[in-house]
Amino acid sequence: MRYDFTMDYKDISERIALLTQEIRELQEIDAHYSKPSESTHRTNRASREARELRLLQIKQELSRLMPKARP
């Protein structure tokens, strides 16, 4: 996919800022739930997998926002 020149740089900047904030929030949640607990092990695992999936989605979105380098 090529860079979408119809997107305004301000829009891209704002979107990147939102994604960066979401990454920070996911990292904070990871830090909070990284402490082992028998009672919430399964819930934590499912939540962690959901957070990992979201991080992958963010990475893919960021790669689409970045212009492609020409060889």
Side-chain angles (χ1 to χ4, degrees):
M1 179 180 277
R2 295 206 172 251
Y3 176 75
D4 183 2
F5 286 101
T6 61
M7 286 189 78
D8 187 289
Y9 284 112
K10 181 180 177 189
D11 294 337
I12 294 171
S13 178
E14 289 173 359
R15 185 65 185 147
I16 290 172
L18 289 172
L19 292 172
T20 301
Q21 178 60 37
E22 188 173 355
I23 289 169
R24 276 192 221 109
E25 291 169 1
L26 290 170
Q27 289 171 332
E28 290 172 6
I29 293 169
D30 279 344
H32 181 273
Y33 287 108
S34 66
K35 299 171 188 166
S37 169
E38 277 300 315
S39 62
T40 58
H41 179 69
R42 289 184 184 175
T43 303
N44 287 346
R45 182 176 177 190
S47 295
R48 185 184 73 240
E49 290 171 357
R51 290 189 302 274
E52 288 173 355
L53 175 61
R54 182 60 190 137
L55 285 170
L56 178 61
Q57 292 168 338
I58 290 170
K59 181 180 175 182
Q60 291 169 343
E61 183 173 350
L62 287 170
S63 71
R64 286 191 302 270
L65 290 173
M66 304 309 279
K68 302 294 182 194
R70 293 187 180 176

